[in-house]
Amino acid sequence: MPSAIADDNDNETLRGAFYGRRKGKKLRDRQTDLINELLPKLRLPEEGPISPRDLFDTPIDDIWLEIGFGGGEHLIAQALAHRNIGIIGCEPFINGMAKLLSMLDEEDITNVRLHDADAIPVIARLPEASISRAYILYPDPWPKRRHRKRRIVSDESLAMLARVIRPGGLLRFATDIDDYAAWTLARLERSPDFVWQAERADDWRQPWDGWISTRYEQKAFREGRTPSYITAVRR
Ligand SMILES: C[S@@+](CC[C@H](N)C(=O)[O-])C[C@H]1O[C@@H](n2cnc3c(N)ncnc32)[C@H](O)[C@@H]1O
C-alpha cells in the first residue's frame, strides 16, 4: 500500500478554479457540428439546483457521476451496460467531449447527460444523497508539490461528494501515480463519510469487478506505470 502522505496543503478551494486544458487540436467539421447541435440537447441546465432524475426522458433507477471522462470510453461502456442508470459526465476538454459525442451519435443512448466544464459546481448543485456512484478515473496528477492543491481530490471535494452520494453508494478512483493514490487514501481515511473498501492487502492493485480500461490507463501501461484502484463506500 502506498504510504499515506500527510500534506495538509490541499485545503485551498477548487471552486471557480480550473487549471486543465480546455482545447487541443482543431476539431473536425463533424465534431464541431456535434458540439453545436448534439451537446446542447444533452447539456445540464446552466444554473440552479439540478434534479437529476428529471434530466432523463426514460425511467432511471439511479444516477452516477463521472468526473473528467476524457475521451469517454468508460462513460459510454457504462451507459450501454446500465441503461437503467442515468449517467452525468463532466469534461471541460472540448476534444474529449467531441469524442464522446461522436460515440453517442452512433449509439442509441438516452441515459447520458453532459457538462462541458468544471465538475465541482455541478456537485454543489446536486441534491443531497441524489446519486449512488461517482467515478474519478486518472485525474490530472499535478505532481509538483506547489500544484497539488489543484488536485480534484481534496478534503473539501470529498465532503462535497459525500453530501450527494447516498449512504452505501460508491466513490471509485483510479490513478497511475502512487503519490496520488496515497494522497487520496489519506484523505479518505480522515473523512468521516467514506470507508475504503479493501478486503486484501493488495486490493488497491486490483481493478474492481467490471472495470473498463480508459485511454489514459492504456497510456500509463505503455509508459510502464502501475495503476491503483480505490473504492470507498459512503457511510
Ligand atoms: C488525465 S485525464 C483522464 C481522462 C479519463 N478519465 C481517462 O482515464 O482516460 C483527466 C481529465 O480530467 C478532466 N478534468 C480536470 N479537472 C476537471 C474538473 N474540475 N472537472 C471535470 N473534469 C476535469 C481533464 O480535462 C482531463 O480530461
Side-chain angles (χ1 to χ4, degrees):
M1 178 170 75
S3 64
I5 290 174
D7 181 347
D8 286 330
N9 195 22
D10 70 325
N11 56 3
E12 215 171 85
T13 179
L14 287 163
R15 270 176 266 121
F18 172 70
Y19 297 98
R21 277 197 310 165
R22 299 204 85 116
K23 279 191 180 156
K25 61 183 180 195
K26 190 174 181 301
L27 297 181
R28 293 191 296 273
D29 290 348
R30 176 78 194 122
Q31 291 179 314
T32 306
D33 289 347
L34 289 167
I35 294 282
N36 291 334
E37 287 158 26
L38 182 54
L39 179 57
K41 294 182 189 150
L42 302 179
R43 201 184 253 135
L44 299 182
E46 273 181 21
E47 52 191 35
I50 298 167
S51 179
R53 282 166 195 261
D54 297 342
L55 298 170
F56 300 94
D57 305 327
T58 50
I60 287 297
D61 292 336
D62 235 322
I63 304 288
W64 295 355
L65 172 70
E66 183 165 344
I67 298 175
F69 58 72
E73 314 76 31
H74 176 268
L75 192 154
I76 199 131
Q78 293 287 19
L80 285 166
H82 304 279
R83 288 181 178 271
N84 59 327
I85 304 288
I87 304 185
I88 299 176
C90 301
E91 178 51 69
F93 185 52
I94 198 80
N95 301 66
M97 182 61 82
K99 279 201 181 89
L100 176 69
L101 289 170
S102 303
M103 292 188 277
L104 286 174
D105 193 43
E106 282 160 20
E107 306 278 353
D108 176 27
I109 295 181
T110 56
N111 55 332
V112 172
R113 289 296 178 270
L114 299 169
H115 179 67
D116 49 335
D118 184 1
I120 295 290
V122 169
I123 301 170
R125 292 167 58 206
L126 284 167
E128 200 172 311
S130 59
I131 72 172
S132 64
R133 198 173 286 192
Y135 287 97
I136 306 178
L137 306 178
Y138 296 94
D140 293 329
W142 298 111
K144 290 185 184 156
R145 184 165 282 269
R146 71 175 187 282
H147 287 156
R148 285 187 190 158
K149 55 182 177 285
R150 297 180 179 181
R151 287 178 168 175
I152 190 93
V153 175
S154 66
D155 293 319
E156 186 187 28
S157 65
L158 289 182
M160 291 178 77
L161 283 166
R163 189 187 66 80
V164 300
I165 300 176
R166 64 168 165 68
L170 303 180
L171 169 60
R172 290 194 141 156
F173 171 91
T175 183
D176 55 333
I177 307 294
D178 280 351
D179 161 70
Y180 206 165
W183 167 281
T184 299
L185 284 178
R187 277 143 193 84
L188 286 170
E189 249 170 49
R190 69 191 185 212
S191 160
D193 304 313
F194 288 104
V195 191
W196 178 29
Q197 194 182 54
E199 282 157 16
R200 290 172 302 274
D202 70 341
D203 258 10
W204 58 285
R205 286 298 187 209
Q206 311 299 328
W208 46 80
D209 285 349
W211 165 247
I212 295 152
S213 188
T214 66
R215 187 177 297 255
Y216 197 87
E217 176 168 90
Q218 293 307 315
K219 181 167 179 268
F221 284 141
R222 283 196 303 277
E223 294 174 3
R225 292 188 297 279
T226 307
S228 303
Y229 308 91
I230 297 171
T231 297
V233 183
R234 174 72 170 96
R235 285 182 201 272

